[in-house]
Amino acid sequence: MAGTRFSVLDRSRIREGHDAGEALRDTVALAREAERLGFHRFWVAEHHGVPGVAGSAPTVLAAAVAAATRTIRVGTGGVMLPNHRPLVVAEQFGVLESLFPGRIDMGLGRSVGFTGGVRRALGVGKDEADDFAGQLEELLGWFRGTSPTGVHARPSEGLTVPPFVLAMGEGARIAARAGLPMVIGDLRDRERMLRGIEQYRAAFRPSVWAERPYVVISGTVAVAGTAQEARRLLKPEAWSMAYARTHGAFPPLPAVEAVEGRAMTGKERELYEAGLRGHVAGTEEEVAAELARVVGETGAEEVLVTTSTYGRAALTDSYGRLARAVGLIAPAAP
C-alpha cells in the first residue's frame, strides 16, 4: 500500500443520551485526532431530517473543522448538489478556500432527501438528481468564470477547489466525462465497486481538474485488539440501519451492550446480521492484509474510511490502530 492515501469521513452520529451539539463537537475533536495520526483528509457529510445524524450543513461544519486543525485537508463527503443552487455552493467553497487556502476539498453527491417530507422541505423532487451532470457543470463554471449569466461568483472565481464526485451507478460515468476524481463505495459490494471503477477509468476524459483518473474507495473499517472486539464496534451502526429499514427513521446510536440486549423481529435480525457483514474489521494485522488486498484489486489511489460506534474511546482507538496498520504512524512498542 506504499503511496496509498488514507482519509476519514465522519457523519456526526448522535448517540443515545447525548445531543446533536456534542456530536458536532465530537466530529471536530476527531478531526484533530485524525490530523495527529497522519490521515490525509477529513470529510463531513450532509443529511437532512435524520434523528441520528447532526451533520446537516457540511460547509459550516467543514469551516469549524478547518479552524480547529492546521494541516489536514478538509472537505465534504459530500454536498448533495441537487439540494442547492450551484452558485451558492460555489460561494461557500470559495469562502472556505479563501479562509483556509490549499486545504479545502469539494466532494459532491447527487442524492436528494431521504423521505418525501424532506424533499418537499428542500423544494426538490426525486428527478432533480437526473440533472446532476448539468448542475456539476454549472458549479465548476463559477470557478472558471464561464457562466453565461454574466454574473461572477465572489470570491470563488479563479480559485481552485479540488472537486470529487461521489459515485454510485451513474455517478461514475458523470465523473469520468467531467474528468474529475471519483469516490466510490462501499466495501461490502466489491463486484459492483470494481465495475464502477472499470467504467470510470475506461471513460475518463482529462480535464483542467484532473489529468488522469483518481479513485477513492470508501467503506467502514474497524480495528481492535481482537477480531471479536472489532466486530462489536460495528453493532450500534448495524442496529440503527436495521431499525431505519424497518421503521423509516434513522435513530441515534445505542451502546453496544444495549444492542446485544435488545429483542429484534425476524426481519430486524436479518437486516442487522447483514449490516455486520462485508466490512473490513479485525486486528491491525488482519485489517492491513485486507486493505492491501482491496487496494491491489481496485488500484485505488486513496481509501476513505468511515467508522461509527457508540464509544468515543473505542472509536479513537480504532483509528489509531488503523493508522499503525497502514503505516501512518510507528507501530506500538512491544
Side-chain angles (χ1 to χ4, degrees), residues 48-64:
H48 299 283
V50 180
V53 180
S56 57
T59 53
V60 176
L61 184 53

Side-chain angles (χ1 to χ4, degrees), residues 10-33:
D10 190 68
R11 291 182 295 139
S12 304
R13 294 288 274 113
I14 300 171
R15 298 176 291 152
E16 287 184 353
H18 302 263
D19 62 18
E22 186 171 356
L24 295 170
R25 290 188 290 274
D26 284 343
T27 291
V28 175
L30 183 61
R32 293 195 194 100
E33 180 66 7

Side-chain angles (χ1 to χ4, degrees), residues 48-107:
H48 299 283
V50 180
V53 180
S56 57
T59 53
V60 176
L61 184 53
V65 168
T69 54
R70 296 185 302 105
T71 58
I72 195 168
R73 296 195 64 87
V74 177
T76 55
V79 166
M80 297 301 132
L81 197 50
N83 295 336
H84 311 278
R85 293 301 309 162
L87 171 60
V88 175
V89 175
E91 290 173 335
Q92 291 172 346
F93 279 97
V95 169
L96 284 170
E97 176 64 20
S98 297
L99 289 170
F100 310 102
R103 292 181 57 206
I104 301 300
D105 300 322
M106 185 167 57

Side-chain angles (χ1 to χ4, degrees), residues 6-13 27 30 39 41-45 47 53 77 166 183-188 216-223 233-234 237 250 253 275 279-281 291 303-309 312 315 318-319 322:
F6 287 85
S7 299
V8 175
L9 167 65
D10 190 68
R11 291 182 295 139
S12 304
R13 294 288 274 113
T27 291
L30 183 61
F39 287 96
R41 309 179 202 275
F42 189 93
W43 282 7
V44 296
H47 296 274
V53 180
L166 277 61
V183 182
I184 188 167
D186 64 31
L187 294 174
R188 291 179 297 175
V216 183
I217 56 174
S218 179
T220 295
V221 179
V223 196
L233 295 180
L234 302 174
E237 184 77 8
F250 200 77
L253 289 175
H279 303 295
V280 176
L291 286 175
V303 180
L304 181 65
V305 175
T306 178
T307 307
S308 294
T309 196
R312 298 304 298 182
L315 180 66
S318 178
Y319 277 116
L322 174 61

Side-chain angles (χ1 to χ4, degrees), residues 204-270:
F204 184 86
R205 301 173 183 171
S207 71
V208 296
W209 304 98
E211 295 182 355
R212 58 184 62 88
Y214 188 94
V215 174
V216 183
I217 56 174
S218 179
T220 295
V221 179
V223 196
T226 67
Q228 182 179 9
E229 291 172 357
R231 180 181 168 87
R232 290 189 82 224
L233 295 180
L234 302 174
K235 290 184 174 182
E237 184 77 8
W239 180 87
S240 295
M241 290 294 294
Y243 185 93
R245 293 282 299 276
T246 53
H247 293 77
F250 200 77
L253 289 175
V256 172
E257 295 77 13
V259 173
E260 293 174 334
R262 286 183 180 174
M264 301 184 202
T265 65
K267 183 63 175 177
E268 288 171 339
R269 176 66 61 179
E270 178 186 347

Side-chain angles (χ1 to χ4, degrees), residues 6 56-57 66 84 142 147 153 167 185 193 201 216 254 283 303 313 324 329 332:
F6 287 85
S56 57
H84 311 278
W142 290 115
S147 171
M193 175 185 284
R201 289 199 175 111
V216 183
T283 64
V303 180
R324 287 195 295 271
I329 58 175

